[in-house]
Amino acid sequence: MIMSAASLVEPFFRPESVPQAPNDPLYSLVSAYDADESEKKVDLGVGAYRDDSGRPWTLPVVKKAEHFYHNDDKVDHEYLPIAGLPDFNSASRRLILGSDSPAIVENRVGVPFPDPPGLPISNNERHVHFRQFQALGRSTSVVSSSQSFFPCSTPTIYVSTPSWPIHNQVFENVRLSVHWYPYFSERTRLLDFEGMMSRIKSAPRGSIVLLHACAHNPTGVDPTEDQWRQIAKLMQTNGLFPFFDCAYQGFATGDLTRDSFVIRHFVEQGFELLVAQSFAKNMGLYGQRVGALHFVAAPGPQAQETAKRVASQLSILQRSEISSPPIYGAKIASTILNDERLFSEWERDLQTMSGRIIEMRQALQQELKLLRTPGQWDFITNQIGMFTYTGLSRQQVLELRVKWHVYMAETGRISMAGLNTGNVKYFARAVDDVVRRMEKA
């Protein structure tokens, strides 16, 4: 037998030396749903908007922006600067902070440099352009902002429990010390405000606190504006650093300004902060991975110099991680954000999406009440945004999957976008069935 040269090479990797990583639970759920041949199957796991027919919905305003893009003779496929598309960055900052934000007026968002030619700029931004960072959705925004330029070598970050599962992975991968604060009450299925405040109060000075700006993922539970004010006051008193994750601006209530209340309030209170911003959900640009990262320096004579140095660190991280951000999705988002007519159309599309979600919340709650399903279900309409934490147990979730062909996260989280007028009654009957069975058991 002749041995090949390849067979004589000692391998670096063997099965016993490479642990088998677990499958991602949500992607596994998608695979299980796809494999199910039942005509009644219901997908409540996907974190993406679906119309009333259960199909992906391309926003009409996005179609218009794509038409403009494809018919623009000036379009090319050159690399973007490290920081990304300037007019996208500028517009995304105005959207999240407000064009009259003190941080913008006082030139303490990023590092100023001369205006790029032809960039549409508001009066408050005249003669400077601020260097925010375009990112791949909010995932790389979170990664970049978690690394290297915090004053202490191993900062502690406090994350809500529960939170978006990727948060924990990201922060542990960059070796931050991750701690948790209570957020969701299993009893009321609403905010555990006292538990949250108590834990934040005990956080050491200089700690980072991750906050969901609106439509908390996965619970759909947000603090009220008064509660946000109390959180801000406590964090200010205790010297804590706010880091906002904003993936659902305009998608939560349909009102872009209302959904950014907490960020604007913290800025008005003089906080130094970071914002990871995404346009995946609110523009339906899921696969384009459009996002931005904003650093706001604290007020004071050194604000611009601080912002400049932070931006220099972010440039290094951006260069090493993605080098140059993708252009297509950013161009589409920028076209919408910088055109008054298209922006108004986008606001109407947001109201369409958020409005349908609210209608499904009301319909589900009504159906459960008509069925006299055991338990209190008012939380369904008190929660907000794409997701609802149902309080169903893992056993009930698995029973829903096997008997009723309903696919949802084992935590009991459902995507309200997966419900429609054709399946909401079916889902309510399924929930009623598993809840009653559990009571009898």
Side-chain angles (χ1 to χ4, degrees), residues 46-66:
V46 63
Y49 181 77
R50 297 290 182 260
D51 64 17
D52 197 52
S53 299
R55 293 190 295 265
W57 190 59
T58 301
L59 276 62
V61 72
V62 168
K63 290 183 178 179
K64 289 186 179 181
E66 288 179 322

Side-chain angles (χ1 to χ4, degrees), residues 78-351:
E78 294 296 300
Y79 288 120
L80 287 177
I82 292 175
L85 187 66
D87 54 351
F88 165 74
N89 288 339
S90 179
S92 63
R93 179 190 65 253
R94 293 197 301 269
L95 182 75
I96 199 75
L97 300 179
S99 58
D100 59 348
S101 170
I104 293 177
V105 174
E106 296 163 15
N107 297 348
R108 52 187 173 88
V109 190
V111 53
F113 58 88
D115 296 339
L119 176 64
I121 300 176
S122 70
N123 289 334
N124 287 334
E125 299 167 302
R126 188 61 54 190
H127 305 310
V128 301
H129 171 63
F130 299 95
R131 196 165 193 173
Q132 283 69 56
F133 283 78
Q134 183 185 331
L136 303 183
R138 81 187 200 272
S139 300
T140 55
S141 297
V142 172
V143 171
S144 294
S145 56
S146 302
Q147 303 180 58
S148 92
F149 61 85
F150 276 92
C152 49
S153 57
T154 55
T156 299
I157 185 164
Y158 286 79
V159 181
S160 68
T161 179
S163 190
W164 184 44
I166 308 303
H167 282 147
N168 189 46
Q169 295 178 29
V170 165
F171 298 133
E172 287 187 345
N173 285 345
V174 296
R175 293 176 172 78
L176 290 184
S177 176
V178 181
H179 292 239
W180 302 91
Y181 60 84
Y183 191 84
F184 183 75
S185 168
E186 294 288 350
R187 180 180 61 83
T188 65
R189 300 179 193 175
L190 296 172
L191 180 66
D192 180 5
F193 184 63
E194 291 184 3
M196 178 182 182
M197 291 290 280
S198 176
R199 188 70 179 104
I200 290 176
K201 186 177 182 179
S202 69
R205 194 173 191 86
S207 298
I208 307 164
V209 181
L210 180 74
L211 301 165
H212 297 231
C214 62
H216 183 275
N217 180 2
T219 68
V221 175
D222 286 350
T224 64
E225 290 189 1
D226 181 63
Q227 288 171 333
W228 275 129
R229 292 186 181 96
Q230 294 180 57
I231 293 168
K233 186 174 182 180
L234 175 63
M235 289 182 62
Q236 196 168 45
T237 301
N238 289 21
L240 304 175
F241 184 92
F243 176 11
F244 288 102
D245 186 344
C246 187
Y248 299 95
Q249 185 184 5
F251 195 97
T253 67
D255 186 323
L256 290 159
T257 300
R258 181 178 173 185
D259 288 350
S260 62
F261 164 81
V262 60
I263 296 173
R264 298 183 185 197
H265 176 71
F266 269 63
V267 171
E268 288 168 0
Q269 298 306 303
F271 276 90
E272 180 180 42
L273 54 85
L274 277 165
V275 181
Q277 180 185 24
S278 170
F279 291 90
K281 303 293 193 300
N282 58 16
M283 284 191 181
L285 295 171
Y286 302 100
Q288 300 304 331
R289 315 305 297 139
V290 186
L293 175 67
H294 310 278
F295 171 74
V296 177
Q302 294 183 318
Q304 289 191 32
E305 182 62 23
T306 299
K308 175 182 176 181
R309 296 190 180 205
V310 168
S312 72
Q313 294 293 330
L314 289 172
S315 292
I316 294 173
L317 292 170
Q318 181 93 315
R319 178 65 169 155
S320 63
E321 288 174 356
I322 63 173
S323 186
S324 174
I327 192 171
Y328 183 79
K331 279 280 192 180
I332 300 303
S334 179
T335 299
I336 295 169
L337 293 172
N338 287 295
D339 184 286
E340 186 175 344
R341 181 176 57 82
L342 291 180
F343 188 90
S344 296
E345 290 187 31
W346 178 44
E347 290 182 303
R348 291 195 292 273
D349 289 345
L350 286 168
Q351 290 166 5

